[in-house]
Amino acid sequence: MFVARSAARIARARVAFVLLVVLPCLGLGAWAVHRRSGMHRDAVRLAWQRQVGLPLTVAAIEHPRPGVIRGRECVLATSDGRPALTVPLIEVETAATEVRFRIDRLRCDAAGAAVLASVAGEWLDRGARFDRNCVVEIADFAWDTPAGSGDDPSPLRIECVVQAGDRAVRIVRPTSSGSDDEVKILRRIDAGTAGDRDARQTAVRFEIDGDCRRPLPFPILVACAGGTPLSGCDAGDEAVVTGRVRAAYDATGWSGTAHGLIDRVDLAACTAALAGGAAGEATIAVDDLRWSGGRIEACNIACTASRGRLEQRLLDSLVGTLGCRPGPAYGLSDGRGRAFDAAGWRLWIDHRGAELRAAPDATPALGGSLAIVGGGSIIDPPPGGFPVDRLAWLLAPPGAAFVPATGPGAWLMSILPRSGGRVE
């Protein structure tokens, strides 16, 4: 007996084997090699970099499950190439309408916060580029700053959502008290008609609602506020802030309200722009702050400090510019300044002008003085109110002959109430 053989059948079997077995295996092997190659890693990195709009490096790429890409040792840099944010491990899951980022651990400094703020701003402004909702979940987050050294790590969640043309960013972080710190930024677009129906105007409005109970490092707040007046403030590396702010921005400028507390303020950094400086650590309580159209409407803030030093030029400027009165210990200065045991003041600003008073409610030992040493007054508040432009003169360089037109004094004049001579 023998097995009948057909050359045609053998050829068809071989062709089928090659098409159905060999080629798929070769293709699968080539695909696996490509997925582990540097070329694929660079392709993924470039795709992420185009989305973020900033330089990005990725050490390795993995595919743990369908639709998910895992990146290791990802470094996001600033536009000039300086490393700003390092993410040891990130998972990116992409769906039809959403991109979800999962990060195990992240430590963020001021440079990293500025980068994240710029990316959030791009997401709010460029809807055509960011056409999907985005969710970022960080399991272990903490600030990497001197002021944030005592910050307990906790989860952080960032949601970027599009709804009916409006775009919003929501940041949520739980606190030990059980409530959440939350910041919401909303970008609204209102379309109206001007002239005829073919001439349309589009007005963009931003709304910010923030509530922060966990101490937030002040340098982080400044870094996130790039391009606003707050970006020029300096309270020192150790300063932290808590409080609430509600603000809106439209064609007329910024409007809103705020109240809160700035603790561990470095007086040397805070008074660096003044003609004379101070040294020590202070606490600033913002009891009431309201502004409209980019200008302050009402302000009620208090500052207290214990044990520090006031430079003589600052003391002289307070007397000569604001009308403060020298106390019995004023003349005991060594020519360079005067140490103090306690200091405190409260400042009111409104459309009538400004008023400076002592803060005995916070530091009873002050009595009616702004600063004391050995129980004696160094300097006392002015007897009455004064025009708000006197505050700008405090920031003027020595010898200035006119109201400051440049520098910090000019900026202060641009945000203070327009009118103002308080009469008591």
Side-chain angles (χ1 to χ4, degrees):
M1 296 182 65
F2 63 91
V3 178
R5 294 184 177 180
S6 169
R9 289 181 177 179
I10 292 175
R12 286 196 296 270
R14 288 174 176 173
V15 170
F17 179 78
V18 171
L19 294 177
L20 300 178
V21 179
V22 176
L23 290 182
C25 287
L26 290 176
L28 185 61
W31 177 78
V33 171
H34 171 71
R35 294 289 284 262
R36 292 181 173 272
S37 68
M39 184 182 299
H40 175 65
R41 183 189 67 237
D42 289 340
V44 173
R45 179 187 64 81
L46 289 174
W48 289 357
Q49 182 172 285
R50 282 193 296 269
Q51 286 293 316
V52 175
L54 292 170
L56 176 68
T57 60
V58 182
I61 290 293
E62 303 172 4
H63 296 268
R65 53 190 182 275
V68 177
I69 300 178
R70 180 181 295 162
R72 293 187 179 274
E73 298 301 326
C74 304
V75 180
L76 189 63
T78 59
S79 56
D80 56 2
R82 292 177 298 173
L85 202 63
T86 300
V87 181
L89 179 66
I90 183 172
E91 286 189 356
V92 182
E93 184 175 359
T94 305
T97 60
E98 180 183 276
V99 180
R100 187 175 294 267
F101 299 87
R102 298 184 181 91
I103 300 174
D104 286 344
R105 183 178 183 273
L106 181 63
R107 297 295 179 265
C108 184
D109 59 8
V115 166
L116 292 178
S118 69
V119 173
E122 287 287 305
W123 190 91
L124 288 169
D125 282 334
R126 302 183 184 275
R129 177 175 161 191
F130 301 96
D131 57 350
R132 299 177 183 177
N133 295 335
C134 176
V135 178
V136 181
E137 298 174 336
I138 306 173
D140 184 353
F141 177 85
W143 297 114
D144 185 17
T145 65
S149 59
D151 186 22
D152 295 328
S154 65
L156 180 70
R157 181 181 176 88
I158 304 174
E159 302 170 354
C160 305
V161 181
V162 182
Q163 186 174 7
D166 296 337
R167 302 176 72 85
V169 174
R170 178 173 177 259
I171 305 171
V172 182
R173 190 181 184 196
T175 64
S176 57
S177 62
S179 58
D180 293 339
D181 283 354
E182 183 175 4
V183 177
K184 293 183 288 187
I185 306 173
L186 177 63
R187 180 180 185 268
R188 295 184 181 275
I189 299 180
D190 300 323
T193 303
D196 54 40
R197 294 183 179 180
D198 296 329
R200 296 190 177 275
Q201 295 179 334
T202 301
V204 179
R205 176 181 174 86
F206 288 90
E207 298 176 4
I208 300 176
D209 189 349
D211 191 0
C212 181
R213 297 177 179 85
R214 179 195 295 262
L216 174 69
F218 192 81
I220 298 294
L221 180 62
V222 171
C224 294
T228 70
L230 185 61
S231 61
C233 298
D234 187 4
D237 294 336
E238 297 285 346
V240 293
V241 59
T242 56
R244 183 176 181 85
V245 60
R246 290 183 177 178
Y249 178 83
D250 55 22
T252 64
W254 283 101
S255 302
T257 62
H259 63 84
L261 189 72
I262 309 174
D263 202 8
R264 308 207 305 260
V265 175
D266 182 359
L267 287 176
C270 194
T271 60
L274 300 180
E281 187 175 279
T283 297
I284 299 177
V286 182
D287 295 332
D288 180 28
L289 179 59
R290 288 171 281 157
W291 65 97
S292 177
R295 287 185 175 272
I296 294 173
E297 286 189 338
C299 177
N300 179 4
I301 61 176
C303 175
T304 57
S306 59
R307 296 200 178 276
R309 186 175 182 84
L310 300 171
E311 289 187 7
Q312 186 63 40
R313 286 189 301 172
L314 177 58
L315 291 171
D316 294 342
S317 183
L318 290 172
V319 172
T321 303
L322 299 188
C324 293
R325 296 166 296 173
Y330 185 91
L332 301 179
S333 170
D334 58 7
R336 294 173 299 174
R338 190 72 177 92
F340 62 83
D341 295 332
W345 49 260
R346 181 174 292 277
L347 177 66
W348 288 272
I349 298 175
D350 58 23
H351 68 281
R352 297 173 297 171
E355 184 177 359
L356 183 66
R357 288 288 179 263
D361 52 336
T363 309
L366 286 173
S369 301
L370 300 179
I372 60 173
V373 61
S377 171
I378 300 175
I379 189 168
D380 294 332
F386 51 87
V388 293
D389 61 359
R390 299 284 184 88
L391 297 172
W393 277 108
L394 281 177
L395 301 178
F402 303 99
V403 175
T406 59
W411 165 79
L412 190 59
M413 286 296 295
S414 71
I415 66 170
L416 288 172
R418 294 185 184 277
S419 60
R422 180 185 292 268
V423 178
E424 297 294 343

